[in-house]
Amino acid sequence: MQYRSTRGNRGNSLNSPQAIIKGLAADGGLYVPTSFPQVKLPLAQLPTLTYQATAELVLSWFFDDFDQAQLQQVVNTAYATQWDDANIAPVSDRHGQNYYLELFHGPTLAFKDIALQVLPRLMTKSVTIEKINREIIILTATSGDTGTASMRGFSDQAGTQVIVFYPHGGVSPVQLRQMLGQRGQNLTAIAIEGNFDDAQTAVKKIFNDQQFNQRLLANDYQFSSANSMNIGRLIPQIVYYLSAYGQLVQRGAIRNGDPINFVTPTGNFGDILAGYYAKKLGLPVNKLICASDENNVLTDFFRTGTYDRRRDFYLTNSPAMDILVSSNLERLLFDVYQEDNQAIQKLMAALNTTGHYTVAKQVQQQLSTTFAAGFATQDQVIEEIKRIYDQDHYVIDPHTAVASFVAHQYQTNSGDQTPTVIVSTASPYKFPETVLTALNGQQPTTTGLVAIKELHHQLQTPLSANVESLFNEGQRKERVIELAVMENTIAELLHLS
Ligand SMILES: *Cc1c(COP(=O)(O)O)cnc(C)c1O
């Protein structure tokens, strides 16, 4: 299986280990298969397969440069006892009209663990396959979830180091606790004086600094990236869409072959794109519903065909979805434009220079046969958490609440009765301050671990082992630096000559 850039020629391709190590193509495009796997999805078997077996199957379709024993080792170690639930991604009972696909039973309590337990393992194997004897430096800017999940995934993975930059005072108390509590010898998290955008821009600049890259090579290091554009993160996410379907068949909620809907809380468009790939592989998906918060650039896009980033940016109570440029959308466009890389180049150039683009009419029409979209305001998020709790004593986090609200609104407006799965991306204990506000009608006086205790006390349900472990981790001292010294700090950390 070869991979090419969404903006480059088909002939210019890499194998999967190379694409995983590179992360992003040099022309700015994203790696996609040169020909999408033509497989017969074993639909009837899905209900009987373990999560690990399903994962091994999906990975073998996309990453056939790895042998079966390697893939098996990857999934069996990625989805092992670090998960609170033996099903890895269990589907809840029906609450209200809908099921909730719980993707938050991993070590950092959010769905990024699903991919970031796999990617580091694929990365170390890729390095071996490609016979690279340099150490891989994963450089990341994070507003919270990506940083913690990357550190956890790469912790003590041989031949790798992770350096995470986050905005000082700009991540949640629980996320800060998670980052400073990481134990691996190869992990560093550093706060910068600035906001997330500052961190992100500076990291991109360092990535593209030719001189600095040369210096790294001379010291037997090379950069790579664990961000959600990496194909090694996207493919493992297809698995839970298949697994959810199998679980619903197994419990008799649907019959094999029946269509279902998914509603996905969306930021960078990686999660929902994996759902699209699952449908492309043959999963009976009726609608994929793209749920956004007040940064509703995607809602407008699916409704009008115009993507327009020229708007105010809001920091909301669903911070992982506060995004105006959803990078993975490019892979969807590539598919609906029938792999026309020049068309993609033009759209992305327009986005870059003018801040907006409009897709062709028939493309918009085609998208609307599969996708619907909606958004929730912060107040609606609060109300939705309360509504679902009052109805059923089921507690959801703010990101999940965005999707839950959009699902309810869509079902009311469209009358669509298709069985629907809400993709639940974070544990309510990861955002206890917002959840307590919703349940009690007022902001709690506590934050972080104390707020978790308060929520636990109120709900009277046992804490999972992964939530418990937050209380047992030691804490490193926070280190804060100026933006201007980021590159020097990396050089110092790596003892570059
Ligand atoms: C990252 C994240 C999202 C958004 O997922 P994308 O793949 O970026 O669309 C939603 N919810 C949570 C909790 C996340 O961490």
Side-chain angles (χ1 to χ4, degrees):
M1 167 78 58
Q2 292 291 109
Y3 286 83
R4 60 176 288 193
S5 165
T6 47
R7 301 185 197 177
N9 285 328
R10 194 167 187 281
N12 217 344
S13 66
L14 307 176
N15 66 17
S16 51
Q18 290 164 341
I20 287 166
I21 293 168
K22 277 205 87 174
L24 199 65
D27 59 16
L30 281 68
Y31 287 116
V32 285
T34 48
S35 52
F36 199 84
Q38 302 293 318
V39 297
K40 177 137 181 34
L41 186 70
L43 203 56
Q45 261 183 29
L46 286 184
T48 62
L49 292 181
T50 61
Y51 193 89
Q52 293 81 354
T54 311
E56 195 183 323
L57 197 58
V58 172
L59 293 186
S60 73
W61 293 333
F62 286 89
F63 299 145
D64 57 4
D65 295 292
F66 301 81
D67 64 41
Q68 209 61 33
Q70 287 175 316
L71 291 180
Q72 192 171 41
Q73 206 215 354
V74 166
V75 300
N76 286 345
T77 52
Y79 302 119
T81 52
Q82 70 272 47
W83 294 79
D84 279 335
D85 193 296
N87 285 326
I88 307 302
V91 176
S92 75
D93 291 337
R94 196 145 62 102
H95 297 297
Q97 282 167 278
N98 302 312
Y99 302 91
Y100 291 77
L101 171 60
E102 298 181 351
L103 303 182
F104 53 76
H105 292 281
T108 73
L109 314 177
F111 101 103
K112 291 190 173 60
D113 288 327
I114 299 253
L116 279 165
Q117 285 296 310
V118 171
L119 176 73
R121 294 173 165 89
L122 287 176
M123 185 89 76
T124 55
K125 296 228 181 315
S126 299
V127 165
T128 311
I129 291 171
E130 290 302 305
K131 302 191 171 59
I132 291 172
N133 39 33
R134 290 183 287 270
E135 190 164 280
I136 301 287
I137 308 300
I138 305 291
L139 192 61
T140 303
T142 185
S143 57
D145 283 348
T146 300
T148 53
S150 301
M151 289 171 84
R152 198 49 190 252
F154 279 97
S155 179
D156 291 332
Q157 288 287 330
T160 67
Q161 273 202 59
V162 180
I163 306 174
V164 171
F165 292 102
Y166 62 93
H168 186 212
V171 299
S172 82
V174 176
Q175 288 165 336
L176 183 62
R177 175 100 196 170
Q178 287 178 327
M179 276 194 282
L180 297 180
Q182 303 271 0
R183 271 186 297 240
Q185 292 301 309
N186 59 338
L187 312 175
T188 311
I190 299 176
I192 55 107
E193 292 291 6
N195 60 28
F196 170 63
D197 269 337
D198 297 330
Q200 171 114 309
T201 308
V203 161
K204 275 193 189 146
K205 218 172 119 198
I206 296 171
F207 254 119
N208 295 327
D209 180 337
Q210 288 312 319
Q211 220 177 340
F212 194 68
N213 276 280
Q214 286 307 322
R215 195 170 159 207
L216 278 180
L217 288 178
N219 285 268
D220 285 333
Y221 292 115
Q222 85 180 66
F223 279 142
S224 184
S225 153
N227 69 26
S228 75
M229 279 96 93
N230 194 311
I231 191 74
R233 269 184 68 175
L234 179 62
I235 302 307
Q237 296 181 180
I238 297 171
V239 179
Y240 50 76
Y241 286 93
L242 272 49
S243 162
Y245 192 90
Q247 291 178 62
L248 289 180
V249 172
Q250 196 195 24
R251 68 173 72 163
I254 56 171
R255 278 165 317 180
N256 206 337
D258 287 351
I260 63 173
N261 291 342
F262 286 97
V263 189
T264 306
T266 297
N268 219 2
F269 210 77
D271 193 349
I272 193 167
L273 181 74
Y276 180 76
Y277 277 14
K279 181 177 162 100
K280 225 172 132 63
L281 287 168
L283 193 72
V285 176
N286 174 41
K287 279 272 193 286
L288 290 166
I289 299 154
C290 174
S292 301
D293 64 20
E294 286 163 1
N295 299 290
N296 57 359
V297 60
L298 285 166
T299 314
D300 291 344
F301 171 69
F302 283 111
R303 290 183 181 169
T304 66
T306 295
Y307 194 101
D308 192 345
R309 63 177 289 192
R310 297 169 300 174
R311 59 181 72 208
D312 291 335
F313 172 76
Y314 302 105
L315 283 172
T316 74
N317 52 18
S318 49
M321 299 161 67
D322 294 342
I323 281 179
L324 288 182
V325 178
S326 300
S327 312
N328 272 296
L329 184 65
E330 183 168 340
R331 285 189 169 113
L332 174 65
L333 294 174
F334 180 79
D335 193 67
V336 289
Y337 270 90
Q338 290 166 7
E339 314 199 338
D340 180 350
N341 58 298
Q342 288 182 350
I344 303 306
Q345 238 177 45
K346 279 197 197 112
L347 294 174
M348 294 304 129
L351 183 63
N352 225 342
T353 53
T354 68
H356 64 107
Y357 63 79
T358 300
V359 297
K361 202 86 239 129
Q362 85 266 20
V363 165
Q364 192 207 338
Q365 259 159 17
Q366 194 194 331
L367 286 175
S368 67
T369 62
T370 299
F371 288 91
F375 73 97
T377 65
Q378 298 190 66
D379 288 345
Q380 288 165 334
V381 163
I382 297 282
E383 285 160 23
E384 184 68 4
I385 294 172
K386 175 93 170 115
R387 186 178 77 86
I388 298 297
Y389 184 71
D390 285 350
Q391 191 175 280
D392 244 351
H393 279 229
Y394 185 65
V395 190
I396 56 178
D397 100 289
H399 303 80
T400 308
V402 169
S404 188
F405 175 88
V406 168
H408 191 60
Q409 187 184 53
Y410 166 81
Q411 286 160 335
T412 308
N413 293 344
S414 67
D416 185 348
Q417 309 249 329
T418 310
T420 294
V421 175
I422 312 248
V423 179
S424 181
T425 49
S427 160
Y429 286 107
K430 193 154 191 184
F431 300 93
E433 300 88 357
T434 304
V435 174
L436 282 166
T437 304
L439 299 189
N440 301 331
Q442 60 181 41
Q443 236 177 327
T445 51
T446 57
T447 62
L449 296 199
V450 190
I452 290 181
K453 281 231 161 93
E454 188 179 335
L455 183 59
H456 172 52
H457 190 74
Q458 191 166 335
L459 298 177
Q460 295 288 320
T461 47
L463 287 182
S464 70
N466 282 330
V467 179
E468 283 282 3
S469 75
L470 284 174
F471 294 89
N472 308 327
E473 278 162 6
Q475 291 285 287
R476 299 184 191 188
K477 198 169 157 324
E478 185 172 36
R479 177 169 179 202
V480 188
I481 63 167
E482 299 287 337
L483 278 167
V485 301
M486 273 169 71
E487 208 168 75
N488 278 342
T489 305
I490 297 170
E492 200 181 284
L493 275 170
L494 301 176
H495 308 288
L496 295 190
S497 55

